[in-house]
Amino acid sequence: MLKTIDIDNLVRPNIRNLNPYRSARDDFEKGLLLDANENSLGAPVRNQLELHRYPTPTHNKLRKKIADWRQVDFENIFLGVGSDEAIDLIMRIFCEPGQDSIITTPPTYGMYKVSANINNLGVKEVLLTESLQLQTGKILEQVDDQTKVLFLCSPNNPTANEMKRTDLLKLVSQFPGIVVVDEAYIDFSKQESMAGLVQQYPNLVVLQTFSKSFGLAGIRLGIAISNPEIIRYMMKVKAPYNVNKLTAQTALDAFDNMDLMKFNIEKILEEKEYVAEQLRHADEVEKVYPSDANFLLFKIKNAKEIYQKLADRGVIVRYRGNEPLCEDCLRVTIGMPDENIRFLKTLKEVLV
Ligand SMILES: *Cc1c(COP(=O)(O)O)cnc(C)c1O
């Protein structure tokens, strides 16, 4: 089954016909700027970034940097306030509230459903298999005229494993709507990013973020990589000045120190092996799931109780036992070496 995708046709008519807001900085970025009601006298805090001026709406310099790093073109890059903004925008561009639906594959990242609920969209859920992989056939069976977006996550949160690339490719080429592949954890995995395929598949949107491998969750910067047509729609619908100057400058600075970023990733992966090994040695731990991310999912008897006891001792992990296929599961993020040791030691204490 081969399909041709007409992106314009998938877009909600009101968005297709939208006349976007034109901000002052869309017209001029230099000159005697008396066009935006800014405070020319400056801010009461010292800064190097002319924070009394609005940021650029487009952040082309940063988009170029990210594009070079991911080996795509700068027209393939959208920047948002976290990937969470991109998730919401994709729904707002393609899904008619009260009418259209998305597909998710639980257990997976909770934001897809929350965002769909906020936008009053239907959510069709097709569980992962027992081995935590995609049921491609079942997913495609769920498609009707109102199914507009499929959300996939690889490596997946909370299960930590990557989805098979052949399954991702099958879905991208056969799903008759937008396929979002959330790659928040891609830099921790050996799997090749799908970003290189956005020219080949016009319906593919790859999400990445500065929150995990870059260690910059605090600046709230997310990336969507897609073909220029979808990126243009995202730029059109976003708030004019969504990404602020402090965030953009911090991200640019991060690119000057990629050696440290890569070093930290390696360190986290080493530590993860150690923590996984130690967990496997504990009799009470029934299973440590294979991980391609910076966290571990493990199954342990009385998980809820253990979660609570850990919290009472100041060690906070995530209880995931309410998710399908994750009965009695806890999710622990890999921390600094001493933090990992404290986690393991405290776990041992609450298990006796
Ligand atoms: C952490 C995470 C994100 C990151 O979201 P941001 O809004 O960019 O911080 C996205 N997707 C998944 C699956 C995550 O686990």
Side-chain angles (χ1 to χ4, degrees), residues 61 65 210 214 249-261:
K61 190 171 160 200
K65 264 268 193 265
F210 279 77
F214 277 89
Q249 188 56 50
T250 306
L252 281 170
D253 292 346
F255 278 102
D256 293 336
N257 209 355
M258 292 299 270
D259 286 348
L260 182 58
M261 179 235 190

Side-chain angles (χ1 to χ4, degrees), residues 271 275 333-345:
E271 281 292 310
V275 176
T333 307
I334 301 304
M336 304 264 282
D338 59 315
E339 295 174 333
N340 300 329
I341 285 168
R342 182 173 161 208
F343 158 68
L344 290 165
K345 189 163 158 274

Side-chain angles (χ1 to χ4, degrees), residues 81-84 109 112 153 157 182 184-185 209 211-212 220-222:
V81 182
S83 340
D84 293 347
Y109 188 43
Y112 314 137
C153 188
N157 178 7
D182 187 339
Y185 299 97
T209 179
S211 299
K212 309 289 159 64
R220 308 305 302 126
L221 187 61

